Amino acid sequence: MQILMRLAKLDMTEDSLEDVSNFPVIVEALKCLCNIVFNSAIAQKLSLELNLAAMLCNLLKKCKDQQFVDDIKCFDLRLLFLLSLLHTDIRSQLHHELQGLQVLTQALESSFSIRWTDKYKAAEEHDGSPLSLQETDCAIEALKALFNVTLDSWNVHSENESHQFRYMAAILRHCLLTVGPTEDKTEELHSNAINLLSNIPVSCLDVLISPSTQEETVLEFNGMNMDAIQVLLDFMEKRIDKGSSYREGLTPVLSLLTECCRAHRNIRKFIKAQVLPPLRDVSNRPEVGTTVRNKLVRLMTHVDLGVKQIAAEFLFVLCKERVDNLLKYTGYGNAAGLLAARGLLAGGRGDHWYSDDEDTDTEEYKSAKPNINLITGHVEEPMPNPMDEMTEEQKEYEAMKLVNMFDKLSRDEVIKPMGVRPDGTMTPLEETICQYQTNEQDSSDSD
């Protein structure tokens, strides 16, 4: 390892790489170190003893603004990513001792040709050329390393930290509006940017939107530039349409959008207008169709618990955590899982406070509302009642038959009958009945 570190010029004391001529040797030595560290637990421990992370940060500073050393920079960043992934002490050292946030953020910024027009605002190049393959790879490696270093960064403790994260979020906004050399590379770049945005304290994500100016041809909402948020929405829909790997591919962007909507009113209102526009046609079930709302409602009953929870939470936040609003867009059947988990089966709203602006229903929805089936969330054709032609004896026979079927399923523990407590949470039916009987007894005693 020491030989490879020497060949990679990690022990070099000069301030510049300009005097170094043998760049291929440096690159190959860094590649070897990447392979050794990845495959050897002993090498990972040695990396801490040999102070490898500090040397890599030093080499990275020398690569700054020198285009001819992009290969060195790329594998330097990859090695930092591996070290911070495989050794928690090195991750902590990078964050607290080596100014890793600043060094890696500068490396990320140097991958883009950013021209700042304000403190946290980059000029938008609407006709800008795509990044080269090398620039894209460098940016991706920097994003992955920053993701590891910023784990557990939910709380901002100082003004300096707040500035660092806002500055990083401004770079990531530029990253979302940038394209790579191919569609797949663009998606990989945006995916890693979204992962990193998920680590940034939500209070610092206000820089994702900014007041729009006349010079910009932008997607505007309430006077704010929403281009980056639209990229996130398009990315989310594209991942839904893929139909696979939802947990790895979809949950990060859904989680990010949920937190943004919960914390920033303008973002929530813009996304709601896109995802949950005012209802007009309620002839189809909420999960049937090709709109983003239909796709998200289908995810509410997905087999993967994590996927269905975050999809339901996202829609719930868009509805300002009001149960009646959520049921209007999803139907009770699709929302039952979320409401049971949150103790809201009896109705009400979540814990978070939102503005009091009311949603306005369309005339079409108001006229159809009395005929909407609350369970399925759509207008159903009137069905003939099969009990109309039954005698009272037949009705009683069918009722007892149903009771016996439920009783058998319960005794065989195929199902477990549940009731709803007064606080909206679910409990076994026996407990609900006992509680009811106790309340009745207390009431009669007091009389």
Side-chain angles (χ1 to χ4, degrees), residues 198-234:
S198 301
N199 281 355
I200 293 177
V202 71
S203 59
C204 299
L205 295 179
D206 53 348
V207 299
L208 289 178
I209 59 175
S210 58
S212 57
T213 59
Q214 291 182 347
E215 297 82 30
E216 298 172 334
T217 53
V218 294
L219 190 61
E220 185 183 317
F221 182 83
N222 280 357
M224 305 300 283
N225 181 328
M226 292 289 176
D227 283 352
I229 304 302
Q230 187 62 53
V231 172
L232 293 175
L233 282 173
D234 293 341

Side-chain angles (χ1 to χ4, degrees), residues 279-293:
L279 288 174
R280 298 184 186 281
D281 179 13
V282 283
S283 59
N284 292 320
R285 287 172 176 256
E287 66 270 23
V288 175
T290 58
T291 66
V292 183
R293 167 185 162 237

Side-chain angles (χ1 to χ4, degrees), residues 1 33 35-50 52 83 86-87 90:
M1 281 187 74
L33 283 168
N35 289 339
I36 292 169
V37 166
F38 182 69
N39 288 292
S40 168
I42 297 171
Q44 292 157 27
K45 291 179 183 176
L46 278 173
S47 298
L48 187 62
E49 293 175 25
L50 295 170
L52 181 55
L83 290 172
L86 300 168
H87 205 305
I90 292 178

Side-chain angles (χ1 to χ4, degrees), residues 5 104 161 223 227 238 282 440:
M5 286 164 66
L104 291 168
E161 278 188 328
D227 283 352
K238 188 174 181 181
V282 283
E440 286 287 303

